[in-house]
Amino acid sequence: ETGVTQTPRHLVMGMTNKKSLKCEQHLGHNAMYWYKQSAKKPLELMFVYNFKEQTENNSVPSRFSPECPNSSHLFLHLHTLQPEDSALYLCASSQDIGRGPGGTQYFGPGTRLTVL
Amino acid sequence: AQKITQTQPGMFVQEKEAVTLDCTYDTSDPSYGLFWYKQPSSGEMIFLIYQGSYDQQNATEGRYSLNFQKARKSANLVISASQLGDSAMYFCAMREGGTGNQFYFGTGTSLTVIP
């Protein structure tokens, strides 16, 4: 059960560019998440939205700006990125944000971002 | 302290054999959920199995089972009858009851199935 799509799958951008990552979930879930996965590091939770409201911002630099217009769509706007921001960015959704089975997160395929 | 610890960076298993991937966790919350995910080289994280802290029985999903030892705070994943397609990274994760927004992941174990 994937049900979560992400575009683009690959993105190369310069440090002065502005780009956006898009995530869409077709599972009827209420919560959506952005994660960053760098080599040799655990997954880093960036943002959490529950019923379109941001409930978590894990000290993410302001050059990453999330947007959640509805429970099915999540965007990550990127501007003035640094080379160390190169990573796999994963979007996920869950029915709720609880510790029970409803809190199970389902992930998209990710966007592989390279910042030159 | 790390919330999730996976001590096996890499594991090898013969095709059709069983393999256990270790996971220990750290929480003082009596209510939590434990999750295992598989990440093939394509990058997508695939949900495998869930275990709730109050569940009396070990979770099973097809060839996957979770060896839940609450007192030891361990939640090892057992894959039976390994297949070549099982070669991937495997991540253990936890969600606590009081801070449901946080979903803690381990560093993962790379599993290679040998024909």
Side-chain angles (χ1 to χ4, degrees):
Chain A
E1 184 180 46
T2 52
V4 181
T5 58
Q6 289 186 245
T7 55
R9 295 293 308 276
H10 300 272
L11 179 63
V12 179
M13 59 187 289
M15 287 165 45
T16 57
N17 292 156
K18 288 185 181 181
K19 296 286 185 184
S20 295
L21 310 185
K22 179 183 175 182
C23 175
E24 184 174 0
Q25 59 96 0
H26 311 273
L27 301 170
H29 288 168
N30 298 310
M32 296 188 78
Y33 312 75
W34 279 117
Y35 285 88
K36 175 183 179 182
Q37 187 178 31
S38 306
K40 312 286 185 190
K41 284 187 175 182
L43 252 69
E44 300 172 52
L45 178 65
M46 300 174 73
F47 302 103
V48 181
Y49 279 82
N50 192 31
F51 291 99
K52 303 189 301 177
E53 298 297 320
Q54 188 179 122
T55 58
E56 193 78 25
N57 176 339
N58 270 355
S59 303
V60 180
S62 59
R63 57 186 185 270
F64 295 92
S65 173
E67 179 190 359
C68 187
N70 54 61
S71 292
S72 298
H73 294 86
L74 185 64
F75 296 88
L76 189 62
H77 303 300
L78 316 171
H79 63 97
T80 326
L81 293 193
Q82 306 297 313
E84 60 264 28
D85 297 322
S86 298
L88 180 68
Y89 288 85
L90 289 162
C91 172
S93 71
S94 64
Q95 181 61 45
D96 55 53
I97 58 170
R99 69 199 177 283
T104 301
Q105 295 183 22
Y106 294 89
F107 286 79
T111 295
R112 179 77 59 185
L113 174 67
T114 303
V115 182
L116 301 176
Chain B
Q2 286 202 32
K3 286 285 189 179
I4 297 286
T5 302
Q6 294 181 254
T7 57
Q8 306 154 314
M11 290 279 287
F12 293 86
V13 63
Q14 203 75 37
E15 195 178 4
K16 299 179 186 172
E17 297 291 313
V19 63
T20 298
L21 307 183
D22 295 341
C23 172
T24 57
Y25 57 92
D26 180 31
T27 182
S28 57
D29 196 324
S31 177
Y32 50 89
L34 296 160
F35 306 79
W36 275 93
Y37 287 85
K38 170 185 178 182
Q39 188 177 38
S41 56
S42 58
E44 185 172 354
M45 297 280 280
I46 302 166
F47 166 68
L48 296 177
I49 195 166
Y50 163 84
Q51 178 86 43
S53 59
Y54 293 122
D55 292 344
Q56 296 296 313
Q57 307 229 347
N58 286 342
T60 61
E61 287 286 347
R63 293 187 299 111
Y64 304 108
S65 60
L66 203 151
N67 185 359
F68 181 45
Q69 298 188 43
K70 197 170 183 176
R72 291 185 168 188
K73 293 188 177 178
S74 77
N76 299 338
L77 177 71
V78 180
I79 305 174
S80 62
S82 297
Q83 301 172 356
L84 296 178
D86 294 335
S87 295
M89 284 291 291
Y90 288 81
F91 292 92
C92 180
M94 177 178 67
R95 194 163 209 168
E96 294 171 310
T99 54
N101 281 334
Q102 288 292 346
F103 207 81
Y104 303 98
F105 280 85
T107 51
T109 295
S110 175
L111 177 67
T112 302
V113 180
I114 304 166

